[in-house]
Amino acid sequence: MDLGKHYVDGQWVKPLGTQTFPVMNPATNKQIDTVILGNEADVDRAVAAAKAAFETFSQSTKEERLALLRALLEQTNARMDDLAQAIMLEIGAPISMAKDEQAATGLWHLEAFIELLENQEERTTLPNGDIALREPVGVCGLITPWNWPINQVAAKVIPALAAGNTVVLKPSEHTPMAAAIYAEMIDAAGYPAGVFNLVHGDGPTVGAAMSRHPDVDMMSFTGSTRAGKLISKDAADTIKRVALELGGKSPNVVFADCDLEQQISDSIGLCMFNTGQSCDAPTRMLVERSCYDEALKIAKAAGEAIQVGDPAKEGDHIGPQFDKIQFDRVQNLIQKGIDEGATVLVGGTGKPEGFEQGWYSKPTIFADVSNDMTIAQEEVFGPVLVMIPFEDEADAIKIANDTPYGLHAYVQSGDLEKAERVAKRIRAGGVQINGGPFKFGSPFGGYKQSGNGREGGEQGLEEYQEVKILHVPT
């Protein structure tokens, strides 16, 4: 793999930019490769290719696009091991999880969108007799993060191509390997030149150039709320469509009538999954006061059972933070929690014993947290859980909604009617009840400062489509 080249107009080409960026292994803090970052001229070249390709690809039939998606599915199956190895090396995801979850999302998104496209009517007659057509938006600029590198690439690229758009992808500069493999898969699947383009680069240069570009018709971004605001501002002058999937501080409401042992243990495992580096992680556990002491005992045992390990080894352990900046941020916030008076139930500052090399944090659980503490309001993006007691149903809803975010939420209760009642009152784009798993084919996205628009599901496909109305004689 040559990270010194970008994929533009069906070819691997030398970048016009010359700035280099080291690709680091967070488990060892050693450099494993170097990527050449693009500049505005690289964006111009890729957008020009995408714009030219749109003229013909936008007129492709649904059957032609489905055939390409199925070819991409074959390529994804063939490259699963390569994807998993790249993800393990780039972000420190344990190899078992990298293959079974991280890389597998590329398959799951494809299967779901193929079924959705098969069933979607591109031409419908409205009750008033007018005809509604679904058409592609145009050139789509896609910016993806490092924490789920294939999941987010697939969640954007697949529906964009399924709808007949052309794309320019800027993956995180920290995870160029997984994105380059995806470009190889697109090429091998037989997509026409210019339909998919890959430009490596950073946000302030390449990301901003894409957002401001007059020939980019839509921007889709996953990342921090801070960066999402900048993209919206850059896109405003050209009135392009903007879809944002941003930060979260997901509440997990635990009522005394649930299976405490099961739900608390599972919730802690889910919080620590991917080393806590998921935007929808259940990082605020709100526990009914009457069972709070028992919940602390269960949480302590479950937290101490979380294993930290070498990403290269098979197993269900967690790995490191993905770089020093993230490690330092997590450590600073853990210390902030201590300084503000929260009780360290498990973990704390520093690295786990035996893991001095690399950016490993201790799985940490705080008790006696109030929702106005920094660790209850800011997204830590690490293996850190806060436990907050609540008095009754109304208090739980109030605390759950007392956050600038609204991406995801969780409710645990033996009373399903109550669980649904509470779920409806929580201002979040999705709520998992009693461990109900997220299913591919459903939309994902948030309220408030967690973004706008949806990824996945019928709504995720419609994000990349315009609706044209034909007013016909009746």
Side-chain angles (χ1 to χ4, degrees):
M1 182 181 300
D2 185 358
L3 296 181
K5 293 185 177 180
H6 299 176
Y7 184 78
V8 178
D9 204 18
Q11 301 290 326
W12 289 97
V13 298
K14 182 179 179 180
L16 302 172
T18 58
Q19 181 182 352
T20 61
F21 188 85
V23 182
M24 307 296 290
N25 182 336
T28 62
N29 194 29
K30 293 181 179 179
Q31 185 171 345
I32 53 177
D33 213 324
T34 300
V35 62
I36 298 180
L37 304 182
N39 58 21
E40 289 188 15
D42 286 293
V43 173
D44 288 341
R45 181 171 64 179
V47 171
K51 183 179 180 181
F54 182 75
E55 292 298 318
T56 52
F57 193 66
S58 63
Q59 302 304 307
S60 60
T61 66
K62 182 166 77 170
E63 289 70 26
E64 289 170 336
R65 298 194 302 276
L66 281 168
L68 287 167
L69 290 174
R70 294 186 184 110
L72 181 58
L73 185 63
E74 292 181 10
Q75 291 299 318
T76 306
N77 269 307
R79 300 296 298 273
M80 285 289 286
D81 287 338
D82 294 338
L83 290 170
Q85 287 290 330
I87 293 167
M88 182 269 289
L89 290 169
E90 290 181 314
I91 71 168
I95 188 61
S96 299
M97 181 264 196
K99 183 173 182 179
D100 297 341
E101 298 286 343
Q102 287 268 8
T105 58
L107 289 173
W108 298 333
H109 278 301
L110 259 171
E111 292 168 344
F113 277 117
I114 286 171
E115 182 177 0
L116 284 163
L117 184 60
E118 287 173 337
N119 294 323
Q120 187 185 61
E121 295 292 335
E122 294 183 309
R123 176 190 174 102
T124 57
T125 301
L126 303 180
N128 65 3
D130 283 348
I131 296 170
L133 303 179
R134 293 197 176 277
E135 299 182 341
V137 172
V139 176
C140 298
L142 313 178
I143 301 178
T144 56
W146 53 263
N147 62 318
W148 283 87
I150 289 301
N151 178 72
Q152 293 306 129
V153 166
K156 298 180 190 300
V157 170
I158 294 168
L161 298 183
N165 299 283
T166 57
V167 307
V168 178
L169 170 68
K170 188 208 86 66
S172 168
E173 61 270 33
H174 297 279
T175 53
M177 292 164 57
I181 293 171
Y182 208 85
E184 291 175 351
M185 290 159 43
I186 291 279
D187 185 84
Y191 277 88
V195 169
F196 173 91
N197 304 274
L198 169 69
V199 177
H200 294 297
D202 61 21
T205 305
V206 171
M210 290 166 61
S211 301
R212 293 192 296 259
H213 204 291
D215 290 332
V216 172
D217 301 287
M218 173 181 175
M219 288 298 300
S220 179
F221 169 78
T222 297
S224 70
T225 299
R226 176 193 57 80
K229 293 175 182 178
L230 294 174
I231 287 169
S232 295
K233 291 175 182 178
D234 282 338
D237 286 342
T238 49
I239 320 295
K240 54 174 57 70
R241 182 179 297 189
V242 178
L244 303 171
E245 198 265 275
L246 307 175
K249 193 69 178 176
S250 301
N252 182 10
V253 181
V254 179
F255 287 99
D257 60 3
C258 79
D259 183 340
L260 287 176
E261 185 76 41
Q262 182 73 49
Q263 300 300 344
I264 290 177
S265 297
D266 288 352
S267 294
I268 288 172
L270 189 57
C271 177
M272 303 298 173
F273 189 67
N274 203 37
T275 317
Q277 298 171 142
S278 297
C279 52
D280 60 345
T283 54
R284 285 189 302 148
M285 184 179 287
L286 316 184
V287 183
E288 194 166 8
R289 178 81 68 179
S290 62
C291 67
Y292 188 66
D293 289 343
E294 183 180 357
L296 293 182
K297 294 177 183 176
I298 297 169
K300 181 176 175 61
E304 290 174 343
I306 300 292
Q307 298 294 311
V308 176
D310 182 353
K313 294 181 180 179
E314 299 276 355
D316 60 359
H317 51 278
I318 65 173
Q321 310 292 157
F322 102 104
D323 74 349
K324 184 181 187 300
I325 294 174
Q326 190 60 27
F327 172 82
D328 288 343
R329 171 177 168 76
V330 170
Q331 294 300 308
N332 289 336
L333 283 168
I334 292 174
Q335 185 60 54
K336 185 77 170 177
I338 295 170
D339 294 343
E340 291 185 352
T343 300
V344 176
L345 191 67
V346 176
T349 56
K351 297 181 179 181
E353 185 177 351
F355 290 92
E356 289 72 25
Q357 189 72 15
W359 305 117
Y360 294 89
S361 293
K362 296 176 185 176
T364 298
I365 300 176
F366 281 105
D368 307 321
V369 176
S370 60
N371 203 53
D372 59 352
M373 290 182 179
T374 303
I375 53 173
Q377 287 293 316
E378 290 192 17
E379 187 175 30
V380 179
F381 229 58
V384 179
L385 172 72
V386 301
M387 298 182 69
I388 304 170
F390 68 84
E391 301 300 333
D392 53 25
E393 190 175 316
D395 191 35
I397 294 168
K398 179 181 178 181
I399 296 171
N401 288 331
D402 183 18
T403 170
Y405 300 111
L407 184 59
H408 215 62
Y410 305 76
V411 177
Q412 324 295 339
S413 174
D415 182 343
L416 287 180
E417 183 177 335
K418 177 171 69 176
E420 287 196 26
R421 182 171 66 241
V422 171
K424 289 179 181 178
R425 296 285 305 280
I426 296 175
R427 298 284 294 166
V431 184
Q432 290 177 243
I433 296 175
N434 292 339
F438 176 81
K439 301 178 182 68
F440 286 79
S442 293
F444 179 84
Y447 292 7
K448 300 190 284 187
Q449 292 190 35
S450 287
N452 53 58
R454 292 295 181 267
E455 290 191 330
E458 185 178 0
Q459 293 82 356
L461 181 58
E462 291 172 350
E463 287 286 342
Y464 295 91
Q465 294 174 323
E466 295 280 15
V467 176
K468 177 181 288 180
I469 302 299
L470 304 183
H471 301 278
V472 296
T474 55

